[in-house]
Amino acid sequence: MESSANKSQSGDKKEKVTLNVPGMCSDHCAGIIRDSLNRLEGIKDVRANLSGYKVLVAFDPERTDPDRIRSTVEKAGYEVASVSGESPPGTHKLVLVVPGMGSDHCAGIIKDSLNRLEGIAEIKTNISNHKVEVAYDSEKTGQDAIRSAVEKSWYEVASVSGGARPGQVKLVVPGMGSDHCAGIIKDSLKRLEGIERINTNISNHQVFVERSGETPSTEEIKAAVERAGYEVASISSGEETEEAEEEVSREEFYLTRAWRRFWIAAVPTIVIMVLMMVHMFVQPIPGYLVIISILAFPVIFLYGGWAVHVSAWRSLTNRTANMDVLISMGSLPPFVIGLVGFVYPMTTFTEMAATIMTFHLLGRYLENRAKGRASQAIRKLLTLGAKTARVEREGREEEVSVRELAIGDIMIVRPGDKIPTDGEVVEGQSHIDESIATGESIPVEKSPGSQVLGATINKEGRIKVRATRVGADTFLSQVIRLVEEAQGSRVPIQEFADKITARFVPVVIVIALASFIVWLLFADSLRPILEWGSGFLPWVDPTATPIILALLAAIAVLVIACPCALGLATPTALMVGSGMGAERGVLIRSGEAIQTLKDIRMVVLDKTGTITKGEPELTEVVAAGGYSEEDVLTLAAAVENASEHPLAQAIVQGARERGISIDEVESFQSVKARGVEGRVRGRQILIGNRKLLGEYDVKGLDALDSALSDLEARGRTAVLIAEEGSAMGIVAVADALKPDSREAIKAMHDLGLKVVMVTGDNERAAKAVAGEVDIDEVLAEVLPEGKVDEIRKLQERIGPYVAMVGDGINDAPALKQANVGIAIGAGADVAIEASDVTLVSGELTKVVEAVRLSKATFGKIVQNLFWAFFYNMVAIPIAALGLLHPMIGVIAMVSSSLTVIGNSVLLKRSNITPDT
């Protein structure tokens, strides 16, 4: 084994990797993992976090790597659910906020542009929050080049951040207004040990500090800046979620800007439309062409219109084509052709140019607004957390920002307050509204030792809570991350649509050019089509000249085509579906999980903690020999109260719940490890199994044999009670069913699912539980490590349609093996990384909700894709045939995108709760 001293001398290079180990549930487990890793050459530091099931390993990349580290942990007998931080040396991450990236079509253009850069390792896009995450080799490219590539697309980059690097800290220093100030701050920070890099940005007063590890702490960094004479307004680690106010205010800013751009274009366009009606149907207006040209100029070339043309130009010079290219080509030629009317008498198209641009800007605004409704759930989550916390420090109560909380802080939570962060109640009792986590409106009772979640509401009573998780590790942060991952994920059915949208705009331009040439050359041969259409389409003019017909057809094709409808079909449905799930405590990790879950044919349920409560409970009391049930339970509870055995405590708790007072016991002792005895009220009481009481020649046992056999056949653990050598009765204990298990399994059957129970219990006990809830198949006496093989056998039997439901900790390997892994019921303690779906509450009915939600969401995706394909396949040929006026075309284009978004929002009306 390499000594710590040797390790510290093994070189200055150090990287970190974080492993998610669901089975690491005690200090004993963590110790085994540490010992195993410390035997591996090149390991510098190992830290375990039991609450998050995470192992943070610092290592020398020249002597070991993440694969060896993972393999070492697995050889120690622990499943590794996920590994993060495996980026090769020199690889960094960058997160860009791109407000204009509103559909998968836009995302595809940005990806194409970025992929042309050398050194790009991975690109992830999420249109719900307009973020692009780029992994890149810092030796081959940099932040400026990446930002420039996106802007050349043309998409505005609102902000750039260094991604979620554990060693990064961001400070906001309002007084840092010059490079001189920045230099002073850098000098102060460089004196701290462990600082690797410092970047300052005086325009937004931000300082980014990269540490070699977790030291120096954020408090030490803040103090160093303050010692330099500068106030620190806020400080956050690189892993923390973006401030809710910043996220929401940014969305509101871009929505307001879209609204302003529309109205600046709409006012002149409305005037143009009024003048056109007067000029055509009332009286010719002198200087009409001059007036409308002046009015149309700001619509086409200023503010909103100019942004469209710049976007189109940069997109074309970047060899990519976005929606703005079509609008620019559809509005500029009509305006320019309209100016020809000053020197050559011809039909003016100026009105058309202004109308096309205005309706396009209206569509942009309505899309942003509708997508805001579609992603309402994630925005709601971002605003749920508390902003401040009352903490007890040095005997005083003070209010601090939630961002300044540290693990171990004692928080004081008053009635009506939000709990600032995840923690454990250390003093006081109350009821907590956990509806934001579980979807259940009934407050949950909490007392010392109870776990509570940040952002839940204290309904009554003053409590003290010790913080156990802060920042990015909190339950709310994990949920936000999970929902964002789902909204940014891909659905397999989407791949075909992506291939089409990637080539959509160039194909439309070719069709528009072809339409122009064909109408210009063969207008007379095509006039019968126009004569037929003029009978029911008032805008069709068969007498127009070939050049007018060619222009109308080409422009109509350009403005009616809508790649955005295709690009919005899947993401908007995922936004709404994942948001609905989050509100109900059903967290779906990815679009792939949604598509797979809808086809599930078999659900495998772990028994303990899934079907049952996972803890023994008094179920029945049988009396005999003239005794009452109360007599039997009173004496049994008095004796068992002196025992620490879980079954004994279940009997005592059951007696208390039934209002029975617990008497004192004397001369208590264990009997041959098969029972207990003691004196209660001066009388000798013996409790044990049938064999033990038989050895003591207890009378009247035969009368209880029938009841005893019946209880054991139903999976109960039954003990006999005797008083002074005479049988009194039986007390039965069992791992009781959850209240909703029968209802949930019935609902699964109603969905056509086959339900299988897997357990380590003996077959008789397992079948007894299965019979109570109508399980179809029982797999008994299966050890935890054998569950993976059982899942594999079921998959071989029925195909890739098996879902596994377990507690997400001991069942992690089986959850990963199943086609869909569903972790249930552990709330903040659940090993989210091990599952495809996480159910926050312990209710089995949530499994049914998850299946129904997947079916409803996937159904909307299919509907959206069908509509988007159908619209474009029908609309473009109609436009090419000259039967569609461009003004009608641009309205139809806007309507197609809004229809897709609106259909996704209708998903909220779906009933996913089980039928009762």
Side-chain angles (χ1 to χ4, degrees):
M1 178 175 171
E2 188 180 20
S3 69
S4 299
N6 289 338
K7 286 177 187 172
S8 64
Q9 296 169 5
S10 61
D12 295 329
K13 292 188 177 180
K14 183 168 71 172
E15 290 187 14
K16 286 186 177 181
V17 67
T18 302
L19 299 90
N20 189 277
V21 187
M24 186 184 69
C25 51
S26 69
D27 286 331
H28 175 68
C29 303
I32 294 173
I33 292 171
R34 280 197 201 95
D35 290 343
S36 298
L37 288 171
N38 280 323
R39 296 189 192 107
L40 191 63
E41 187 178 3
I43 297 297
K44 291 178 175 288
D45 187 31
V46 180
R47 298 183 185 180
N49 181 347
L50 293 179
S51 63
Y53 309 106
K54 292 179 181 178
V55 180
L56 179 65
V57 184
F59 64 97
D60 183 346
E62 294 182 353
R63 304 171 71 188
T64 190
D65 55 57
D67 288 338
R68 290 182 189 174
I69 293 170
R70 179 177 193 148
S71 176
T72 300
V73 174
E74 289 176 339
K75 285 177 181 177
Y78 292 89
E79 174 80 9
V80 178
S82 65
V83 182
S84 58
E86 296 181 10
S87 301
T91 299
H92 293 282
K93 283 187 178 180
L94 199 65
V95 178
L96 303 94
V97 177
V98 186
M101 186 182 69
S103 71
D104 281 344
H105 176 69
C106 305
I109 292 172
I110 291 171
K111 283 182 178 178
D112 289 343
S113 183
L114 288 170
N115 278 323
R116 295 187 191 126
L117 295 176
E118 189 178 1
I120 298 296
E122 185 182 21
I123 304 168
K124 293 180 180 178
T125 57
N126 187 338
I127 71 166
S128 67
N129 57 13
H130 310 290
K131 288 182 180 178
V132 180
E133 185 175 318
V134 184
Y136 65 98
D137 186 340
S138 57
E139 296 179 359
K140 296 181 179 179
T141 190
Q143 296 187 11
D144 292 340
I146 292 170
R147 179 171 191 151
S148 177
V150 175
E151 289 176 338
K152 284 178 181 176
S153 296
W154 153 246
Y155 288 92
E156 177 188 357
V157 178
S159 66
V160 181
S161 59
R165 293 195 295 273
Q168 189 182 78
V169 173
K170 181 181 80 174
L171 303 94
V172 177
V173 186
M176 187 183 69
S178 68
D179 286 337
H180 174 69
C181 302
I184 293 172
I185 291 170
K186 283 182 178 179
D187 289 342
S188 181
L189 288 170
K190 285 176 181 177
R191 297 183 190 124
L192 297 177
E193 189 176 351
I195 299 293
E196 290 190 340
R197 186 178 305 166
I198 304 167
N199 290 320
T200 57
N201 186 336
I202 63 172
S203 65
N204 56 13
H205 310 288
Q206 291 183 352
V207 180
F208 290 92
V209 181
E210 288 189 28
R211 303 171 289 178
S212 58
E214 297 298 323
T215 56
S217 67
T218 54
E219 288 80 6
E220 290 171 326
I221 292 172
K222 181 180 179 181
V225 175
E226 290 174 341
R227 281 197 301 271
Y230 293 88
E231 180 186 355
V232 177
S234 68
I235 183 167
S236 59
S237 69
E239 290 182 324
E240 290 182 17
T241 306
E242 181 177 19
E243 277 288 327
E245 293 89 347
E246 187 178 340
E247 181 85 20
V248 174
S249 63
R250 188 176 63 232
E251 293 289 335
E252 291 174 350
F253 168 76
Y254 290 114
L255 186 62
T256 302
R257 187 175 68 176
W259 175 248
R260 190 182 298 119
R261 283 178 173 175
F262 161 65
W263 271 110
I264 288 174
V267 172
T269 302
I270 291 171
V271 176
I272 290 172
M273 291 296 102
V274 172
L275 293 175
M276 183 183 71
M277 295 297 177
V278 173
H279 184 73
M280 292 177 62
F281 301 111
V282 181
Q283 182 179 347
I285 299 174
Y288 171 73
L289 184 58
V290 175
I291 295 171
I292 63 169
S293 297
I294 293 172
L295 288 170
F297 183 83
V299 177
I300 306 298
F301 293 104
L302 300 182
Y303 201 41
W306 179 251
V308 172
H309 301 316
V310 170
S311 169
W313 173 251
R314 292 191 177 181
S315 179
L316 289 172
T317 56
N318 195 49
R319 303 195 308 278
T320 55
N322 60 14
M323 183 71 189
D324 289 331
V325 172
L326 299 180
I327 297 301
S328 189
M329 292 180 69
S331 59
L332 280 177
F335 183 82
V336 174
I337 293 169
L339 298 179
V340 176
F342 285 108
V343 294
Y344 180 79
M346 65 177 295
T347 303
T348 176
F349 289 91
T350 307
E351 306 94 335
M352 182 194 303
T355 305
I356 288 171
M357 183 60 71
T358 300
F359 272 104
H360 171 64
L361 295 174
L362 173 62
R364 280 285 173 85
Y365 166 72
L366 293 176
E367 280 183 26
N368 285 336
R369 184 175 177 179
K371 281 190 291 184
R373 288 182 62 198
S375 60
Q376 202 170 35
I378 189 68
R379 296 180 69 190
K380 180 180 177 183
L381 287 171
L382 284 166
T383 58
L384 282 177
K387 305 298 180 292
T388 61
R390 292 185 186 90
V391 296
E392 207 174 65
R393 288 179 178 171
E394 298 179 357
R396 293 183 297 106
E397 182 179 326
E398 59 181 88
E399 188 168 306
V400 300
S401 168
V402 169
R403 302 172 76 88
E404 296 178 28
L405 285 173
I407 293 174
D409 276 345
I410 301 298
M411 303 175 290
I412 299 165
V413 187
R414 297 171 181 170
D417 286 353
K418 288 182 178 178
I419 294 174
T421 192
D422 298 357
E424 179 183 342
V425 177
V426 294
E427 182 181 309
Q429 290 185 321
S430 183
H431 283 80
I432 306 296
D433 179 358
E434 295 186 337
S435 57
I436 68 115
T438 64
E440 299 299 324
S441 59
I442 300 174
V444 180
E445 184 178 357
K446 300 291 182 179
S447 56
S450 300
Q451 299 295 317
V452 291
L453 304 176
T456 55
I457 300 171
N458 180 24
K459 302 297 287 185
E460 60 187 36
R462 183 177 183 270
I463 58 175
K464 290 185 178 180
V465 178
R466 182 174 63 249
T468 56
R469 293 184 183 185
V470 296
D473 290 331
T474 65
F475 173 73
L476 182 61
S477 295
Q478 288 179 322
V479 170
I480 291 171
R481 189 186 74 245
L482 203 62
V483 174
E484 285 185 339
E485 283 179 6
Q487 292 181 347
S489 64
R490 320 290 289 173
V491 180
I493 194 177
Q494 192 180 352
E495 293 177 4
F496 178 63
D498 288 345
K499 291 178 181 178
I500 292 178
T501 53
R503 299 170 177 81
F504 187 90
V505 174
V507 169
V508 169
I509 293 173
V510 170
I511 294 173
L513 288 172
S515 300
F516 180 84
I517 294 169
V518 169
W519 276 104
L520 190 64
L521 299 178
F522 306 105
D524 292 336
S525 301
L526 297 172
R527 283 187 195 277
I529 298 174
L530 301 180
E531 292 169 355
W532 168 77
S534 65
F536 54 91
L537 298 173
W539 54 79
V540 176
D541 182 10
T543 63
T545 62
I547 184 66
I548 297 298
L549 294 175
L551 283 169
L552 287 172
I555 294 171
V557 168
L558 289 171
V559 299
I560 201 170
C562 190
C564 289
L566 285 167
L568 289 167
T570 299
T572 52
L574 283 178
M575 282 183 210
V576 178
S578 58
M580 282 178 64
E583 290 172 352
R584 294 168 178 266
V586 178
L587 308 177
I588 300 178
R589 285 188 66 88
S590 66
E592 184 178 359
I594 286 177
Q595 183 164 338
T596 306
L597 188 56
K598 75 174 182 62
D599 293 324
I600 287 300
R601 297 179 190 172
M602 178 181 286
V603 178
V604 180
L605 305 175
D606 177 52
K607 181 183 81 73
T608 305
T610 302
I611 300 174
T612 65
K613 294 180 180 179
E615 54 188 33
E617 188 175 279
L618 178 67
T619 55
E620 289 98 359
V621 178
V622 178
Y627 293 97
S628 67
E629 290 184 5
E630 185 175 342
D631 293 336
V632 174
L633 188 53
T634 298
L635 295 173
V639 177
E640 296 287 17
N641 191 39
S643 172
E644 295 296 328
H645 194 281
L647 297 182
Q649 291 305 305
I651 294 171
V652 174
Q653 182 62 28
R656 286 178 175 148
E657 289 174 357
R658 299 184 188 198
I660 294 174
S661 60
I662 310 300
D663 292 333
E664 292 293 328
V665 62
E666 299 174 350
S667 305
F668 173 84
Q669 62 178 349
S670 176
V671 183
K672 300 181 180 179
R674 287 178 291 166
V676 292
E677 66 176 341
R679 299 189 68 82
V680 181
R681 301 174 185 172
R683 301 181 68 80
Q684 189 69 19
I685 307 299
L686 177 66
I687 303 175
N689 59 26
R690 177 72 167 79
K691 185 176 181 181
L692 176 66
L693 269 66
E695 291 175 3
Y696 275 73
D697 296 324
V698 172
K699 299 174 183 177
L701 290 177
D702 294 342
L704 293 171
D705 282 346
S706 176
L708 184 64
S709 298
D710 177 62
L711 289 169
E712 290 178 342
R714 287 190 285 129
R716 307 293 195 258
T717 299
V719 293
L720 295 146
I721 297 93
E723 181 186 35
E724 296 290 345
S726 297
M728 294 181 65
I730 305 171
V731 176
V733 176
D735 184 3
L737 294 173
K738 289 183 177 179
D740 68 330
S741 290
R742 291 187 183 88
E743 176 192 344
I745 292 168
K746 179 182 181 299
M748 291 179 199
H749 287 145
D750 292 341
L751 288 173
L753 302 173
K754 184 174 182 179
V755 184
V756 177
M757 184 179 79
V758 59
T759 178
D761 289 353
N762 63 68
E763 190 167 352
R764 187 175 73 166
K767 286 186 174 179
V769 173
E772 289 189 60
V773 292
D774 197 21
I775 295 285
D776 299 307
E777 184 177 342
V778 176
L779 302 175
E781 300 179 22
V782 179
L783 297 175
E785 57 269 24
K787 291 180 182 178
V788 173
D789 292 332
E790 295 296 339
I791 295 292
R792 194 176 290 120
K793 290 175 185 176
L794 293 172
Q795 289 170 326
E796 291 172 357
R797 194 201 324 175
I798 70 163
Y801 309 109
V802 177
M804 168 71 187
V805 184
D807 61 14
I809 301 173
N810 296 328
D811 296 318
L815 292 173
K816 298 297 286 186
Q817 175 62 36
N819 302 101
V820 179
I822 303 175
I824 184 172
D829 295 326
V830 76
I832 289 176
E833 300 294 339
S835 61
D836 302 298
V837 180
T838 299
L839 309 180
V840 178
S841 73
E843 297 175 8
L844 201 53
T845 49
K846 293 293 182 180
V847 176
V848 180
E849 289 189 16
V851 175
R852 286 191 165 192
L853 179 62
S854 72
K855 290 178 181 288
T857 303
F858 190 79
K860 285 298 179 186
I861 291 172
V862 172
Q863 291 172 18
N864 288 345
L865 288 172
F866 171 79
W867 163 252
F869 278 117
F870 176 79
Y871 164 82
N872 282 290
M873 290 177 67
V874 172
I876 293 174
I878 291 175
L881 289 173
L883 298 175
L884 203 62
H885 194 280
M887 291 187 186
I888 304 297
V890 72
I891 295 172
M893 180 270 292
V894 171
S895 300
S896 68
S897 291
L898 294 179
T899 299
V900 167
I901 297 171
N903 189 47
S904 295
V905 172
L906 287 177
L907 178 61
K908 293 182 179 181
R909 298 184 181 181
S910 301
N911 179 22
I912 65 173
T913 56
D915 298 324
T916 55

